[in-house]
Amino acid sequence: MTANTRDRILDALETLLLDKGMSQVTLENVAAAAGVSKGGLLYHFKSKDALLAGLVRRVADRATQQLDDARAKGISAAEWYLQTPNQDNAADAVELELYRSLLATMRTIDAHAGPELDDIQRALAELMATWSDGLDAEIDDPVRADVIRLVGDGVYLRALLGIPQIDPERYRRVIARLLEA
């Protein structure tokens, strides 16, 4: 089995989560959608919860790459975190789908109980810590870093839920105030 197979399995999981919901995410359905046997899936992921944790880690890797790309263009971690996704922009639409996958995965935490649950929670905590670490490293005031983090979280939650964003000019003023040194 190759890393390519692992990616196909995670692609299949993401598609099932987005298109059909958690109720259709079974090891059998994911394996079938990925074009692998259930044994092939279990070679890469020992359980359904390990599979979900794998998706969270994949999302974390994508987000880290996006942040690295933004920084290479001179965009600060705070600016990146506060960006408003534009659903009409193809790159932003892909990003929203990425976070919808994460949200769908997070929704499963309350639905399960078992030893692997800690792996999902750990993966989510690692993801959030990566973002927090980037803001904390850039911003001297930890309270200001937390405010930026919370505003950014709210902006993405609105986008994920399809709630209209606040007036763009007003939001630009919010960002300007948050980014003041």
Side-chain angles (χ1 to χ4, degrees), residues 1 7-9 12 19 22 26 28 81 107 133-134 159 173:
M1 298 284 170
D7 286 337
R8 277 198 344 259
I9 292 168
D19 293 348
M22 190 60 201
T26 64
E28 293 81 7
Y81 205 84
R107 288 178 47 202
D133 292 347
R173 293 193 327 254

Side-chain angles (χ1 to χ4, degrees), residues 48-58 105 116 119-120 123:
K48 183 176 177 181
D49 288 331
L51 181 62
L52 292 170
L55 179 61
V56 172
R57 288 188 176 95
R58 180 191 210 194
T105 301
E116 295 293 327
D119 194 30
I120 298 171

Side-chain angles (χ1 to χ4, degrees), residues 2-172:
T2 65
N4 215 3
T5 301
R6 183 179 173 85
D7 286 337
R8 277 198 344 259
I9 292 168
L10 291 173
D11 288 344
L13 169 60
E14 196 168 321
T15 299
L16 281 170
L17 276 171
L18 293 171
D19 293 348
K20 299 190 178 188
M22 190 60 201
S23 65
Q24 293 301 306
V25 175
T26 64
L27 294 177
E28 293 81 7
N29 287 348
V30 173
V36 300
S37 67
K38 184 175 175 183
L41 184 147
L42 291 170
Y43 174 82
H44 291 282
F45 302 100
K46 295 183 194 284
S47 68
K48 183 176 177 181
D49 288 331
L51 181 62
L52 292 170
L55 179 61
V56 172
R57 288 188 176 95
R58 180 191 210 194
V59 168
D61 290 344
R62 287 182 191 167
T64 298
Q65 185 60 55
Q66 288 175 347
L67 178 56
D68 291 346
D69 292 347
R71 284 183 167 161
K73 295 175 184 171
I75 298 170
S76 71
E79 290 171 304
W80 176 80
Y81 205 84
L82 292 169
Q83 68 186 332
T84 303
N86 176 355
Q87 296 189 28
D88 297 328
N89 175 291
D92 285 357
V94 168
E95 184 176 326
L96 282 171
E97 288 302 310
L98 173 102
Y99 288 101
R100 284 187 184 105
S101 296
L102 179 61
L103 184 61
T105 301
M106 287 187 291
R107 288 178 47 202
T108 67
I109 289 174
D110 291 337
H112 289 84
E116 295 293 327
L117 184 61
D118 290 335
D119 194 30
I120 298 171
Q121 289 173 325
R122 192 170 32 261
L124 287 168
E126 290 166 6
L127 169 62
M128 299 306 284
T130 299
W131 294 340
S132 294
D133 292 347
L135 288 171
D136 290 340
E138 181 180 289
I139 299 167
D140 292 333
D141 178 359
V143 171
R144 189 164 142 247
D146 286 342
V147 170
I148 289 169
R149 188 175 7 270
L150 293 170
V151 169
D153 291 349
V155 166
Y156 268 89
L157 181 60
R158 290 179 75 96
L160 288 171
L161 297 175
I163 299 170
Q165 298 296 323
I166 66 170
D167 174 66
E169 179 53 38
R170 185 172 178 175
Y171 188 60
R172 279 191 282 282

